[in-house]
Amino acid sequence: MKKFLIPLVLFGVLVLFLAVGLKRDPHEIPSPLINKAAPDFSLQTLTGTAPFSPQDLKGKVWMLNVWATWCVSCREEHPVLVAFSKQIGVPIVGLSYKEIQPQDDPEKKLSPEALLKLARSRGSVWLERHGNPYTLSVMDLDGRVGIDYGVYGVPETYIIDKNGVIRYKQIGPVTPQTLSETIIPIIKGLENS
Amino acid sequence: MPAPLDGHDLNPLLQDPGLVIHPPMLYMGYVGMSVAFAFAIAALITGRLDSAWSRWSRPWTVIAWSFLTLGIGLGSWWAYYELGWGGWWFWDPVENASLMPWLVSTALIHSLMVTEKRGGFKAWTVLLAIAAFSLSLLGTFLVRSGVLTSVHAFASDPTRGVFVLCFLAVVVGSSLTLFAWRAPQVTLGGSMGLLSRETFLLLNSVLLSVATAAVLLGTLYPLVIDALNLGKLSVGPPYFNLVFAPLMVPLLFILIPGTVAKWRSASLPDMVNHLKWIAIFSVVLGACLPFLLGEWSIGAFIGWTLGLWVGLGTLQHIFERALKPGRIGGSFWGMQFAHLGLAIVVMGVTGVKSFEVEKDVKMSVGDEVTIAPYVFKLNDITEVTGPNYKAFQAQIDVVKSGEIIEQLKPEKRRYLSSAMPMTEAAISTNLWRDLYVSLGDPLPGDLHQWSMRVYYKPFVPWLWVGVLIMVLGGVLAAFDRRYRRVSSSGPLQTVAQAVSSLNAQAPSLKDQFFSDQVGNSAHNLSTVQDQNPDITSEHNSSLNENSSPNLNSSGAH
């Protein structure tokens, strides 16, 4: 009798694992940058003020949010950021990521200056229309900084601590829930440490 | 959530006629297993795990197996020409999900034979029937829930996963409970010698089941590790090749002795005598072929020897049978074709694995690349516009001894609405080899220099031909008149008994589980039985050996 129960028992164990597996996301790969120093850069800002570098915010907790006007999910995320910017309470730096897409300039006629000008005007119009949660935005036109930060989809959000170390990364839009349950508590914790 | 700016189209990978054929065939295979499953459950419930049950199950199992074989073969072929990577099997979770029921149903087909002819392996056969269908359901779960990362996860959704998992738990859980409850009452079959056809079929079952378990382990390992919080990992082809190939070697070896061994007890000297010439011939030719085709390696030697062994053994069997008088049934042809197809697949796999040549090159217009004896010359790269894509198309002349034998036009497409790039490989094929070119990307800043993959793939067409022959075998076996024609068919008494008792016990069950055709022929049975009580000698003996083919019915009724 007992040996005929073996298949049932094995199946039970299998279902258990499948049920646990259902709650996991196999695509979720922990970022190797967590607890590593945030890669340094120096980029032009959206408004044309002096170039920004993460060094400028040393000693402060801050948030880096990757966005673009062509990004559909950003439109979903943006109002949330605007509404929560006060509660977040730390500088939010926008990284305008690859604003100019290949199809905008298929023959590659535009000069780098013209590209920057086009990106700035597009970004400004967009922020005017949808609200501006950012302390400032920097222009990552060629996406090099995005590569350093391991961006593989827009939007993405990073939290960087007082020592310039990345403490948290979120892929995809932040929601009121992730903000109030995860991001804001992490920021508060880092500020108090 | 704002509406997307534009529709997304069907995933470009799926914009291919393959989508119309491959999934329905696989589906027929998966769902077809439900018939064998239903027969097994009905037999467990009624306590009639007899030869009638196995006779009825066999054609249904074989036809489902044929569809599954065709589905897997088509999928492999589609991936080969559509993905532009030059491979035909990746050990992706979704591929494994279809391979596991295939392995188990292959074991089931062979095990059913022992149950029918000798009344043996009953509990094991039932378990295989349950497993084949359960693994089909598991496949559905793996593909649709998104618990594993796969290149096939075109529409995964965890919510649907919850439903499929619940369904899986209820269906498989209850059938395994039923199995644990009823299987202990199953009688054992006739005695079997250490060397007999039963032994070979038992080995077949064991090897195929172990192979299934190995594939299942590799497929679910990332999930298990993640569930235990031990990290993220993936299991790739090296693992599967390492465990799968060593299991297939003995399986292919025992195939031929299994087909010639006698039931109950076989004589070793007779079998050695019978098979020695093809054995010697296979080994000698298997050792020589790699030299002739390229480079000698132990893998190529083993692969060719086994492929030849199975192929020649099968041909010898057909030849011997053809010399004997009497009509040859569909089952016989079915078995031989399936084995012949397998032999061709084995030779194809060995050929392509051992002798393929892959070149990743950088080419400008006018450049040539040589894979002896073929020269690939890039004549031009032009832009073409398709109905919903734009593409760069390369014109490549394939030159062999100074003559242009083929023009290949691989494309790099960019689909307009999804902006997804797609590689459309160009393949030149004949019976012996494929020439395969796929266009990579232009080198940065220069549309005239392209990365390109040029493959010489010998014996790939053998895979597709072998699969088709296996499918043909399955169809021939499933439509054997023996399974349908009453006058020439098996243990009439048992069939009639089983049907009448099923009728009496559970008319609704019968309607549910058996098609009208089976029902009708069952009615015919009783009349035929009266008029024609003499039963063919083969079946007579199987009846005698198995005089009480049913369960001991104390617990059953």
Side-chain angles (χ1 to χ4, degrees), chain B residues 27-355:
Chain B
Y27 179 81
M28 290 283 280
Y30 281 161
V31 173
M33 291 303 159
S34 67
V35 181
F37 172 76
F39 272 122
I41 295 300
L44 271 179
I45 292 173
T46 58
R48 290 179 164 273
L49 290 167
D50 51 24
S51 56
W53 156 65
S54 51
R55 285 177 53 76
W56 286 346
S57 295
R58 280 181 76 183
W60 293 99
T61 312
V62 170
I63 203 73
W65 175 90
S66 307
F67 276 114
L68 197 55
T69 310
L70 187 60
I72 295 172
L74 280 168
S76 175
W77 175 61
W78 185 17
Y80 172 74
Y81 79 76
E82 183 72 11
L83 293 182
W85 58 308
W88 41 270
W89 192 263
F90 190 62
W91 296 107
D92 181 80
V94 173
E95 291 172 359
N96 297 346
S98 68
L99 183 66
M100 289 186 284
W102 187 85
L103 293 169
V104 170
S105 57
T106 308
L108 173 61
I109 289 169
H110 292 88
S111 182
L112 273 170
M113 187 156 74
V114 184
T115 310
E116 184 194 338
K117 302 277 192 213
R118 300 277 300 132
F121 300 0
K122 286 176 189 167
W124 177 244
T125 307
V126 170
L127 190 60
L128 284 176
I130 295 173
F133 182 62
S134 308
L135 286 167
S136 302
L137 287 182
L138 181 71
T140 315
F141 174 77
L142 294 182
V143 180
R144 287 289 154 250
S145 66
V147 290
L148 295 168
T149 1
S150 159
V151 295
H152 288 78
F154 292 112
S156 50
D157 173 3
T159 336
R160 194 164 30 204
V162 173
F163 170 78
V164 182
L165 185 62
C166 292
F167 185 70
L168 185 78
V170 170
V171 173
V172 183
S174 56
S175 24
L176 289 177
T177 310
L178 184 69
F179 175 79
W181 173 38
R182 302 307 287 262
Q185 295 148 17
V186 171
T187 53
L188 296 173
S191 61
M192 63 185 233
L194 194 59
L195 185 72
S196 62
R197 184 176 289 190
E198 289 94 317
T199 310
F200 286 106
L201 290 169
L202 181 66
L203 278 173
N204 160 297
S205 259
V206 170
L207 288 167
L208 284 168
S209 308
V210 173
T212 310
V215 174
L216 184 69
L217 181 70
T219 308
L220 294 181
Y221 197 67
L223 185 147
V224 171
I225 293 300
D226 189 22
L228 295 174
N229 278 327
L230 293 175
K232 299 262 185 185
L233 54 78
S234 64
V235 177
Y239 162 80
F240 290 102
N241 291 336
L242 191 68
V243 297
F244 199 72
L247 287 167
M248 290 303 108
V249 170
L251 185 70
L252 292 166
F253 174 71
I254 62 163
L255 191 154
I256 292 303
T259 57
V260 300
K262 290 193 171 66
W263 292 105
R264 302 187 74 171
S265 175
S267 136
L268 187 61
D270 280 359
M271 285 173 61
V272 170
N273 231 357
H274 192 168
L275 298 172
K276 65 181 176 211
W277 289 114
I278 61 156
I280 293 168
F281 193 68
S282 304
V283 173
V284 172
L285 200 58
C288 295
L289 267 178
F291 279 120
L292 300 174
L293 294 165
E295 205 178 325
W296 201 90
S297 67
I298 185 78
F301 164 62
I302 294 174
W304 281 107
T305 303
L306 287 169
L308 288 163
W309 166 245
V310 173
L312 295 172
T314 304
L315 290 176
Q316 175 181 292
H317 202 170
I318 295 174
F319 188 67
E320 287 166 354
R321 179 66 187 83
L323 291 179
K324 285 184 196 161
R327 196 186 143 269
I328 304 178
S331 298
F332 177 84
W333 286 120
M335 171 177 107
Q336 306 302 351
F337 273 105
H339 289 165
L340 206 55
L342 180 67
I344 294 172
V345 170
V346 169
M347 291 188 264
V349 172
T350 310
V352 66
K353 280 277 162 213
S354 316
F355 311 123

Side-chain angles (χ1 to χ4, degrees), chain A residues 148-184:
Chain A
D148 288 345
Y149 277 76
V151 171
Y152 59 73
V154 189
E156 284 187 11
T157 303
Y158 299 78
I159 300 173
I160 293 143
D161 74 6
K162 291 176 186 169
N163 301 319
V165 175
I166 297 177
R167 290 299 183 184
Y168 177 79
K169 172 185 180 182
Q170 166 152 345
I171 297 167
V174 298
T175 60
Q177 197 189 359
T178 52
L179 272 171
S180 52
E181 285 177 9
T182 317
I183 294 177
I184 292 178

Side-chain angles (χ1 to χ4, degrees), chain A residues 1 4-5 7-8 11 14 17-22 24-28 75-76, chain B residues 138 141 146-147 149 162 165 168 172-173 176 180 183-184 220 223 226-227 229 232:
Chain A
M1 176 72 195
F4 294 104
L5 275 170
L8 186 62
F11 176 72
L14 177 70
F17 274 113
L18 293 179
V20 177
L22 211 49
R24 308 293 176 107
D25 181 1
H27 298 275
E28 186 188 290
R75 290 186 202 177
E76 190 187 338
Chain B
L138 181 71
F141 174 77
V147 290
T149 1
V162 173
L165 185 62
L168 185 78
V172 183
L176 289 177
L220 294 181
L223 185 147
D226 189 22
N229 278 327
K232 299 262 185 185

Side-chain angles (χ1 to χ4, degrees), chain A residues 77-189:
Chain A
E77 177 189 67
H78 209 73
V80 179
L81 276 181
V82 172
F84 276 79
S85 61
K86 278 233 173 67
Q87 275 166 274
I88 293 171
V90 294
I92 306 176
V93 175
L95 182 80
S96 165
Y97 179 71
K98 287 188 176 174
E99 179 55 46
I100 307 301
Q101 292 286 293
Q103 67 264 29
D104 296 331
D105 179 23
E107 273 138 47
K108 311 216 158 136
K109 279 185 188 154
L110 297 181
S111 65
E113 291 76 29
L115 287 173
L116 182 62
K117 202 179 157 200
L118 178 65
R120 276 178 169 157
S121 74
R122 259 206 230 168
S124 313
V125 169
W126 198 79
L127 288 180
E128 228 163 80
R129 187 183 302 160
H130 297 284
N132 187 353
Y134 303 121
T135 315
L136 60 96
S137 265
V138 294
M139 312 302 290
D140 184 21
L141 277 180
D142 54 8
R144 293 269 166 91
V145 173
I147 291 174
D148 288 345
Y149 277 76
V151 171
Y152 59 73
V154 189
E156 284 187 11
T157 303
Y158 299 78
I159 300 173
I160 293 143
D161 74 6
K162 291 176 186 169
N163 301 319
V165 175
I166 297 177
R167 290 299 183 184
Y168 177 79
K169 172 185 180 182
Q170 166 152 345
I171 297 167
V174 298
T175 60
Q177 197 189 359
T178 52
L179 272 171
S180 52
E181 285 177 9
T182 317
I183 294 177
I184 292 178
I186 289 177
I187 290 175
K188 292 280 176 292

